[in-house]
Amino acid sequence: MTSATESLEHDRQAGGAGPFQVTNRLIFSIALPMTLGFLTTPLLGLVDTGVVGRLGRAEMLAGLAIGAVLFDLIFTTFNFLRASTTGLVAQAYGRGDRREQQAVFWRSLVIALLCGVAIVLLSPLLLALGLWLMAPEAEVATATRTYFLYRMLSGPAALANYAILGFVLGRGEGTLGLLLQTLINGINIVLAILFGLVLGWGVAGVAIATVTGEVVGAVAGFAIVYGRFDKRDAPDWATIFAGDRLKALFGLNRDIMIRSFVLLAAFTLMTRIGSSLGPVTLAANAVLMTIFLVAGYYLDGLANAAEQLTGRSIGAAYRPAFDRALRMTALWALGLALLTTITFLAFGNALVDLLTTAPEVRALAYEYMPWAAVTALTGAMAFLMDGVFIGATWSRDMRNMMLAAFVVYGAALTVLVPAFGNHGLWAGLNLFLLLRGLFLVMLLPRRAAQTFRSAQ
């Protein structure tokens, strides 16, 4: 009898259910691999730009840039597939509910594939709209068309990868997430060089390399995830497509999508106002935004850890793990953000010199460097709280606080920019980042109390 009880307890713990101890090792087993995985993305962008740049035709490089922007704008909309899957799987993992973990995976994967097919079918219309908005010259438009139409073929695989990565992160398997990200981007980089330069396919070769990487990653990820499923826990189709579960998933996806749109609008507004201040100011701001993006990579990694650990603790109905995960990830986020700010205040000008050789752009970037350096600190809680609220599936609160912060941001820019120019623009951005985090922190105690009380 004792042996059977021990076996049952072992199975329960192996499934992630029940109380668990949050440690630095556990946090960084998720955060560090995903940070490294995220860092392969800008490397891929550099390789694609370098491959097309070596073709010696400016219109091809411009076409690649426009096509990549259009693609990113469209696919940013579907980030909710990754985020919602992570939160729901983490909670099922905390409960030890293996059947629901599989059901969440199948729901998200089916939605991802359907959305991906729809994107492929709509790609000619989306391209026409994008070219109308960007209004490039004829040769640039031709390059954009080639890149965009090829790359859009990756739609189903790219969105499937969102669902697969969400499932993997929901189970806290950061190393597997890193391997899949590295596989996708590694194949992409090697084939971009082979197709684009060695075989001379140019922009089309770069796009085909991306499609190949996404497809191989999706097939490999699916094979790994599906291969580890216990068939005894397999849900039937009625469970997978249960009306209440689909309604909850669509509600979560809707809120996260709105949040992503508003965040994109905030950065677009900054770029639009920056362009009105002149081309040199716009170029300096673009260089300085690199600093914000660098800080974002590891803050995103910690946010991924917060997603899984808070979601798991809620699923397990274990408040001590929730509180400890929140406290430890917050300390790490603020500590690393402070270190980043100090580093960029000390050495940021050297980074500017690496990114641009234009004397006037360098001079202006030096002037606004302190504003860019401090974005790591003002944005730390915004990144982390997004992770906490996604893991807890408090998506409506996250959406509403994003909207509230955006309203204050817009009002602040109408006052600060006319009075202080680009200094006012950067001050407004930092205010927006700070408010996003503060608004969510203010809501957190009440929402946590309600959630754990109802779980008892």
Side-chain angles (χ1 to χ4, degrees), residues 7 43 65 94 116 133 138 142 145-146 163 198 246 257 291 312 354 376 391 408 438 441:
S7 177
L43 177 61
L133 289 172
T142 299
R145 185 175 293 105
T146 299
V198 178
L246 283 175
M257 183 174 68
I291 292 173
R312 179 181 174 184
L354 286 175
V408 177
L438 286 178
V441 168

Side-chain angles (χ1 to χ4, degrees), residues 387-408:
V388 170
F389 276 65
I390 287 171
T393 60
W394 300 332
S395 59
R396 182 176 299 178
D397 292 324
M398 185 174 64
R399 178 201 67 192
N400 292 344
M401 294 305 99
M402 174 68 81
L403 289 168
F406 183 79
V407 170
V408 177

Side-chain angles (χ1 to χ4, degrees), residues 174-229:
T175 301
L176 178 55
L178 167 62
L179 291 174
L180 291 175
Q181 290 292 101
T182 303
L183 175 66
I184 293 167
N185 290 334
I187 289 175
N188 197 337
I189 288 170
V190 171
L191 293 184
I193 295 171
L194 175 63
F195 294 161
L197 284 181
V198 178
L199 298 182
W201 295 357
V203 172
V206 169
I208 293 170
T210 302
V211 175
T212 306
E214 294 284 5
V215 170
V216 172
V219 171
F222 177 82
I224 292 170
V225 169
Y226 182 72
R228 297 191 305 175
F229 280 162

